[in-house]
């Protein structure tokens, strides 16, 4: 009677930890989902030969409509491992399943994986303790002023904002950095609070955790037409920049020299 | 000419990813530091037999006073891997070394590791997008009002605060959760803003990422005398709580039933 949530980390089948792999080895049932996050280079064939186990894929419906009954039933009769992209509970989706399991008397454990949250902060060279609240920028058909307001709130406190770009894995749709910037600019046009203008510095990151992440820092009017290639995407709108953070943006993200004038 | 920063993840030698281990396999020189964070169950003997390489330990002085010359020199003549607890750049310490390497024309890459930042959020069952700015609570001999002010600022916005507890690895000293709460209570006594009182709910976490993490949620007057065992320690002061977050605190952190009255 045990359910172990194991993080797959980022990008491909090699993002899992040694500890995570060991948990799979001693499991009676192995489940996996890939709908909360994209793992662009994940190869199931390689993964199965790495872990030597059959892996049953779980879709959104199974978890959200059937409350993950398949997983809970398996966990009642032995050790079940549930593989989740990134870290298992950074997306709030699976917290309910863990609470449900504990209520049924099933012991649960977590083997963490690399999360996109820390990977992006880490890649950016910006200082971790200077990030405020994180926000997801939704598709234009699901328009919301919230991301703009969150960036504004953080900026007022001098803090950076990590903006995750929305995704619809089932439809293979990923909000691009360019579209995300346009969503923010549209709110600016309406509210005119100067929170995100053409001259606002920003940093776009594509494919964090892969072998070829793309980082580009520039002013919004330039960044909006930059080609970041394939997803997943994220965007950082910096608050106050320390000169060492500007140094990092120049060294790692090809920020233009004018960024020198931004630091305090 | 390459320098690869590899995250060791949390707790022990099995916290590294498969990808991280592969980078070591193909390295000419392998360096490691353990002073920015504690890995309580790390066994160097096991690690060396896992990766089949000699690992040279690096201390704070080498990096901060000598600008990591040993590492940069090695990276100039081949592929150097630098192993860092957690994720390589969540602690700001190593960003300078990466900037320095890039300036010298040494190609740098990052293989991420599990960070304490996301592991704690993940374990807590609290919602990731509801966390504000993170803060470190310093030892009493290095007293500061900042952590109290950050908690206050976050609370005003309804946001949770992740408080990391300071550590002095060289002296084997770790600020306990109990001491950390007392530092905050002392500022409350002086400023009387009602930000952290005896009746404030809080969540202490010890040994995140290990096989036996301890989570305990309670009101501050109870939590201040709770025995969390061995380090490392962290503390979360929640802002507004959703009822699903309260559910999680009851299921995973033995929160008292009175917590039900806290959710909105």
């Amino acid at each position: 009677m045990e359910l172990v949530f194991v993080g797959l980390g980022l990008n491909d089948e090699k993002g899992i930890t040694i500890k995570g792999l060991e948990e799979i080895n001693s499991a009676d049932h192995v489940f996996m989902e890939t709908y909360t996050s994209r793992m662009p280079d994940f190869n199931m064939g390689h993964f199965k030969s790495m872990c030597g186990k059959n892996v049953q894929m779980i879709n959104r419906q199974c978890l959200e409509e059937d409350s993950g009954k398949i997983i809970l039933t398996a966990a009642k009769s032995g050790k079940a491992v549930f593989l989740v992209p990134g870290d298992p509970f950074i997306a709030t989706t699976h917290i309910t399943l863990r609470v449900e399991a504990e209520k049924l008397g099933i012991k649960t454990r977590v083997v963490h994986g690399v999360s996109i949250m820390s990977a992006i902060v880490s890649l950016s060279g910006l200082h971790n303790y200077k990030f405020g609240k994180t926000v997801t920028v939704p598709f234009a058909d699901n328009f919301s002023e919230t991301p703009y307001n969150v960036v504004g709130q953080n900026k007022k406190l001098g803090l950076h904002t990590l903006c995750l770009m929305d995704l619809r894995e089932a439809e293979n749709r990923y909000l691009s950095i360019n579209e995300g910037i346009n969503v923010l600019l549209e709110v600016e046009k309406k509210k005119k609070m100067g929170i995100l203008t053409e001259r606002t510095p920003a940093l776009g990151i594509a494919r964090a955790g892969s072998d070829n992440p793309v980082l580009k820092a520039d002013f919004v009017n330039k960044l909006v037409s930059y080609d970041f290639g394939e997803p997943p995407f994220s965007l950082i709108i910096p608050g106050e920049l320390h000169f060492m953070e500007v140094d990092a943006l120049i060294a790692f993200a090809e920020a233009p020299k004018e960024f020198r004038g931004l630091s305090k």
Side-chain angles (χ1 to χ4, degrees), chain A:
Chain A
M1 289 258 290
E2 192 179 23
L3 175 53
V4 188
F5 293 84
V6 174
L8 288 167
L10 303 174
N11 192 58
D12 65 19
E13 65 279 2
K14 294 176 183 172
I16 195 169
T17 62
I18 306 292
K19 188 163 179 51
L21 213 51
E22 286 188 356
E23 295 287 353
I24 298 174
N25 282 330
S26 60
D28 300 305
H29 313 274
V30 183
F31 302 94
M32 172 171 168
E33 66 91 354
T34 52
Y35 70 83
T36 54
S37 190
R38 182 180 167 80
M39 298 189 74
D41 298 322
F42 193 92
N43 182 310
M44 185 53 99
H46 292 171
F47 186 67
K48 280 186 181 165
S49 59
M50 254 171 64
C51 66
K53 282 275 162 90
N54 190 38
V55 177
Q56 186 175 345
M57 292 304 292
I58 294 290
N59 60 24
R60 186 183 291 270
Q61 191 195 337
C62 164
L63 275 169
E64 294 185 2
E65 291 170 30
D66 301 339
S67 313
K69 260 188 204 138
I70 300 172
I71 299 176
L72 293 173
T73 306
K76 275 186 206 159
S77 73
K79 174 176 172 176
V81 162
F82 185 26
L83 301 165
V84 178
D87 191 279
F89 302 108
I90 288 300
T92 53
T93 318
H94 304 313
I95 300 176
T96 317
L97 179 63
R98 190 177 176 204
V99 170
E100 199 58 41
E102 290 278 340
K103 280 183 183 166
L104 292 171
I106 298 165
K107 226 183 99 187
T108 65
R109 282 188 296 122
V110 186
V111 176
H112 299 284
V114 175
S115 163
I116 190 76
M117 301 292 302
S118 50
I120 287 170
V121 171
S122 181
L123 279 179
S124 73
L126 300 179
H127 295 171
N128 175 55
Y129 62 89
K130 286 177 67 187
F131 279 79
K133 183 178 155 75
T134 298
V135 75
T136 298
V137 181
F139 285 99
D141 60 12
N142 200 7
F143 184 78
S144 156
E145 293 186 356
T146 303
Y148 179 90
N149 296 336
V150 169
V151 171
Q153 194 181 77
N154 285 335
K155 271 197 159 181
K156 221 160 121 180
L157 301 167
L159 301 176
H160 311 322
T161 309
L162 167 52
C163 305
L164 301 170
M165 298 290 122
D166 210 356
L167 78 168
R168 290 179 190 155
E169 187 67 38
E171 302 166 30
N172 201 27
R173 280 184 65 198
Y174 304 89
L175 189 74
S176 71
I177 292 169
N178 323 51
E179 291 168 314
I181 290 175
N182 279 325
V183 166
L184 293 168
L185 282 173
E186 205 167 312
V187 189
E188 176 65 42
K189 227 185 273 174
K190 199 175 127 192
K191 299 188 106 179
K192 297 193 176 70
M193 293 166 72
I195 287 166
L196 194 102
T197 72
E198 304 257 297
R199 291 299 291 168
T200 301
L203 165 64
I205 301 182
R207 297 176 302 289
S210 78
D211 287 342
N212 57 346
V214 169
L215 278 83
K216 176 64 185 168
D218 212 327
F219 296 99
V220 158
N221 63 337
K222 292 278 180 61
L223 210 63
V224 75
S225 55
Y226 190 83
D227 180 7
F228 284 92
E230 297 295 309
F233 303 116
S234 351
L235 176 69
I236 294 173
I237 312 292
E240 281 167 27
L241 286 165
H242 186 269
F243 75 89
M244 287 176 65
E245 293 180 295
V246 171
D247 262 7
L249 290 178
I250 291 172
F252 313 148
E254 299 175 349
K257 293 282 183 283
E258 298 103 291
F259 265 48
R260 289 253 173 262
L262 298 170
S263 66
K264 300 203 171 181

